[in-house]
Amino acid sequence: MRIVVLLKAVPVVGNEKLVDGWRVDRSAGLEANGNDEYVLEAGLKLVEQHGGELVTLTMGPTPAMEAIRKALAMGAARAVHVQDPVLAGSDTLATGLVLAAALRKMEYDLVLAGADTSDGQGGIVGAAVATRLGLPYLSYAAHIEPDPSAETIRVRRISAAGYDVIEAPMPAFVAGTQLLGEPRYPSLRGIMQARSKEIATWTLADVGVEASSVGSSAALTEVDSATPPPPRAGATIVREAPEIAAERIVEFLASRRLV
Amino acid sequence: MAGEIWAIGEIADGQPTRLARELATLAAGLAAESGRTARAVLVGPDASTAAESLAANGPDVLAVDADPGDRPVAAVIAEQVAALARDRQPSFLFVGASNDGRDVAGMLQALLDWGALVNAAGVRWQDEAPQAEMSVFGGRLVTLSHLAADHGIVIVRPSSVTAEEAARPGKVAAIAPAAVDPLPAVRIVERIAEASAAVSIEEAPVIVAGGRGVGGPEGFAVVQELAEVLGGVVGATRAVVDAGWIGYAHQIGQTGKTVKPALYVAAGISGAIQHKVGMQTSGTIIAINRDPDAPIGEFADLMVIGDLFEILPRVSAGVRARRGG
Ligand SMILES: Cc1cc2nc3c(=O)[nH]c(=O)nc-3n(C[C@H](O)[C@H](O)[C@H](O)COP(=O)(O)OP(=O)(O)OC[C@H]3O[C@@H](n4cnc5c(N)ncnc54)[C@H](O)[C@@H]3O)c2cc1C
Ligand SMILES: Nc1ncnc2c1ncn2[C@@H]1O[C@H](COP(=O)(O)O)[C@@H](O)[C@H]1O
């Protein structure tokens, strides 16, 4: 099975450095998006079971390299890194365009993406990319099971009531969640091997997207203002014996009309 | 003429979801403010019946009785809404940030080539366009953003708006599904119900959440008890979901759900940033933790130092006594 994993490099949640008031500094300290590591792990297991090759696809600035290297150390065979200065400030629309264009130049039976990103928080890029490519879209995956002989893929999709078992012919696009399982740590051997693995760098021209449709100048969303949220007053601290502490909680609830 | 504002709703058990009502209320409010027309769109086998109910929230409702059969409903909603949008040229589409809603929004973005404001925790009307409030970078900033075009998609989180009945209900128009090029086929083979999944923590006014401090699956009994007494539901950290003590549907945080209840009680939860991002905008936060230095103390309103097993049952009893007495 040939698998492509869409891997975004994101700032570490809680450690974002801000520039110009609200822009996040992406010049250093990026790591793989949490959900993308879960689908990467699921993809690696699929290749171990069914053979084939796993390639990661990332659109992002140079420091995304660290996340890509880790993916290679975990077991990805090679990586594609779409990188172009004009991509800075791209919105979800442009991201979907570029990732779809890059995928048109790749070969795959299965594309995997995360359910959402910790920085973008949209959870829409996967559905947009699948739709642009005309791929069956199977989302919120808690479990992925291919039937390579039938060339179909089965996914356990989280639903409001539990889950649905959904199925589609391959090639297909699956967006996955944490329930796919904990990502592995790269082994020392994996880290050594990663050094000789190929990272192909593609420019915007390489993927065939017009510069006028990407970047901050093309973005269809604009930030008007950014302010810290109103601070919380600071906690009232209670350090009494359980009986009194419980009474304090009930009084506190009552004072805020919560009971 | 300025284009319409559409609320794209979902249907569950034949009725509009609460989120659909919130979106309809929002669309009606923004339309009144901007002199535009609000319209809700419902797609599904029960669309006409659900539409009668949704019209109470104000906007006129378009009911598209399209039967998804064994296809996931998001693709069918996206196909129909895209066809309608091409035909009628609305300006703004409001979609809910549910699982299906986000799928619909992503598909619509690709089908229409429209921009999208994501994860809105509030929306107001500003300079002839919707302006969305979003919490970003681990909650360190609140941004206000607008669409830099006269059309686009806004994805709205649950409980960002309070659903209200309008003085005058809207009218319902049932229309036949448009003929569309269907999105690639995905088939639902089986629908599995799991009792533990059926918690709507995003809608609950009170959440009592347990972390590793509850010690094991049985430890959730005291958490459950207080949740019931307070009329709320049980939440959890990823640590306890990973440990298999409780189902993923309860998980709050970065890779779980984002919630905003009036009251959040965190029992045996350290308050890691990945948990914090999912609950920090809750109205009142009460933490019960043995460790006075637990980070949750930095953003709680009441920090109670002690053993949750000694404290929670007494709080449950205290609340009951107060009600009874
Ligand atoms: C990519 C990624 C995504 C993540 N997503 C999420 C997410 O969505 N949600 C989430 O919650 N986490 C998430 N995490 C995990 C997060 O980093 C923390 O590990 C997790 O939140 C810790 O859970 P906890 O508070 O239950 O456990 P701990 O951090 O172990 O805290 C347990 C607390 O209980 C207290 N305690 C122990 N016994 C008692 C007692 N008897 N009475 C009172 N207090 C007691 C301890 O003092 C301690 O503070 C994510 C991590 C990563 C890397
Ligand atoms: N710049 C990117 N590079 C690679 N994959 C991405 C990128 N942006 C988004 N994705 C993929 O799309 C998923 C959903 O992203 P989002 O809609 O931004 O929340 C992510 O989990 C990734 O798998």
Side-chain angles (χ1 to χ4, degrees):
Chain A
M1 246 197 331
R2 297 160 302 174
I3 299 178
V4 177
V5 170
L6 303 189
L7 183 87
K8 187 179 185 189
V10 296
V12 178
V13 176
N15 280 339
E16 302 91 348
K17 250 178 66 195
L18 301 175
V19 288
D20 303 338
W22 62 269
R23 274 178 214 280
V24 68
D25 179 6
R26 294 179 194 268
S27 68
L30 302 184
E31 63 177 17
N33 178 49
N35 280 320
D36 301 357
E37 283 203 341
Y38 304 129
V39 291
L40 172 61
E41 174 63 36
L44 291 170
K45 287 209 179 88
L46 289 175
V47 168
E48 283 159 10
Q49 283 162 19
H50 303 280
E53 186 188 61
L54 186 149
V55 182
T56 61
L57 169 60
T58 301
M59 165 182 144
T62 313
M65 203 66 98
E66 216 169 306
I68 296 173
R69 285 241 164 75
K70 183 176 173 201
L72 293 173
M74 284 167 71
R78 52 198 175 81
V80 174
H81 185 183
V82 184
Q83 189 187 1
D84 204 307
V86 296
L87 285 169
S90 290
D91 64 359
T92 51
L93 182 64
T95 304
L97 266 177
V98 171
L99 292 174
L103 281 164
R104 286 200 184 92
K105 306 208 175 277
M106 301 172 78
E107 292 187 339
Y108 52 79
D109 305 297
L110 200 57
V111 182
L112 300 179
D116 61 17
T117 47
S118 60
D119 61 343
Q121 305 177 345
I124 64 169
V125 166
V129 171
T131 303
R132 286 187 191 283
L133 295 172
L135 292 174
Y137 174 68
L138 303 92
S139 58
Y140 297 97
H143 184 76
I144 307 173
E145 200 169 304
D147 182 345
S149 60
E151 294 182 358
T152 58
I153 185 98
R154 258 187 192 207
V155 156
R156 208 179 280 165
R157 180 184 193 265
I158 298 167
S159 74
Y163 62 89
D164 295 338
V165 180
I166 58 177
E167 187 183 83
M170 289 195 272
F173 191 111
V174 176
T177 68
Q178 171 197 312
L179 289 188
L180 292 169
E182 284 269 358
R184 67 195 62 188
Y185 287 100
S187 65
L188 202 55
R189 199 164 141 250
I191 295 169
M192 300 298 287
Q193 285 173 340
R195 291 190 185 150
S196 54
K197 288 180 177 171
E198 179 202 354
I199 304 178
T201 307
W202 293 358
T203 62
L204 198 59
D206 291 335
V207 296
V209 173
E210 297 286 328
S212 59
S213 33
V214 303
S216 43
S217 56
L220 291 178
T221 58
E222 269 172 22
V223 177
D224 300 311
S225 69
T227 44
R232 285 189 174 267
T236 305
I237 306 207
V238 175
R239 296 173 183 267
E240 263 114 339
E243 297 77 18
I244 301 168
E247 236 170 76
R248 286 290 180 77
I249 294 176
V250 178
E251 282 162 16
F252 186 80
L253 289 171
S255 74
R256 296 204 170 192
R257 299 180 185 280
L258 292 163
V259 285
Chain B
M1 210 190 80
E4 296 184 349
I5 299 172
W6 285 9
I8 314 302
E10 289 173 47
I11 304 171
D13 301 324
Q15 286 297 312
T17 60
R18 182 169 125 170
L19 185 51
R21 292 190 190 284
E22 293 170 0
L23 296 174
T25 304
L26 176 65
L30 296 178
E33 202 173 322
S34 60
R36 294 181 184 232
T37 302
R39 199 176 297 283
V41 182
L42 287 177
V43 179
D46 308 309
S48 301
T49 352
E52 293 294 341
S53 170
L54 188 61
N57 297 97
D60 288 349
V61 188
L62 275 180
V64 186
D65 273 295
D67 186 354
D70 64 359
R71 299 178 63 198
V73 71
V76 181
I77 298 176
E79 288 162 4
Q80 291 297 322
V81 172
L84 278 171
R86 286 193 190 107
D87 189 29
R88 302 182 182 218
Q89 309 277 325
S91 288
F92 303 110
L93 305 179
F94 286 84
V95 184
S98 59
N99 288 6
D100 282 333
R102 300 203 304 182
D103 283 354
V104 168
M107 292 169 180
L108 281 174
Q109 166 158 84
L111 292 170
L112 300 171
D113 272 325
W114 282 14
L117 288 170
V118 303
N119 212 26
V123 183
R124 71 202 101 201
W125 193 259
Q126 182 73 31
D127 298 332
E128 277 309 292
Q131 187 187 49
E133 178 186 316
M134 300 168 215
S135 169
V136 296
F137 308 138
R140 277 160 64 204
L141 287 181
V142 175
T143 56
L144 294 175
S145 309
H146 70 274
L147 289 156
D150 57 7
H151 55 258
I153 302 165
V154 185
I155 305 173
V156 184
R157 284 219 318 246
S159 304
S160 301
V161 199
T162 308
E164 279 162 20
E165 301 229 329
R168 210 162 44 90
K171 288 192 283 291
V172 173
I175 55 171
V180 293
D181 275 342
L183 290 167
V186 176
R187 191 169 70 89
I188 301 179
V189 181
E190 205 179 353
R191 295 176 209 262
I192 311 283
E194 278 184 334
S196 74
V199 282
S200 42
I201 57 174
E202 283 152 303
E203 299 186 351
V206 174
I207 294 175
V208 184
R212 221 193 303 258
V214 305
E218 314 77 35
F220 268 99
V222 291
V223 175
Q224 174 79 45
E225 182 194 15
L226 182 58
E228 274 166 25
V229 169
L230 293 172
V233 300
V234 173
T237 64
R238 173 169 141 186
V240 298
V241 171
D242 279 349
W245 299 353
I246 193 165
Y248 175 63
H250 297 265
Q251 183 179 316
I252 292 158
Q254 186 186 314
T255 49
K257 290 182 175 128
T258 303
V259 297
K260 195 182 174 180
L263 171 64
Y264 193 93
V265 181
I269 292 178
S270 61
I273 179 77
Q274 294 90 348
H275 187 73
K276 182 184 174 191
V277 294
M279 47 65 75
Q280 64 193 341
T281 57
S282 302
T284 293
I285 299 173
I286 299 182
I288 296 127
N289 201 304
R290 274 199 315 220
D291 174 7
D293 298 323
I296 189 110
E298 289 159 28
F299 53 97
D301 300 297
L302 189 71
M303 172 76 172
V304 182
I305 319 294
D307 187 331
L308 70 93
F309 293 103
E310 295 184 40
I311 295 170
L312 290 191
R314 290 186 165 93
V315 177
S316 297
V319 173
R320 275 202 203 95
R322 209 186 143 81
R323 292 230 176 91

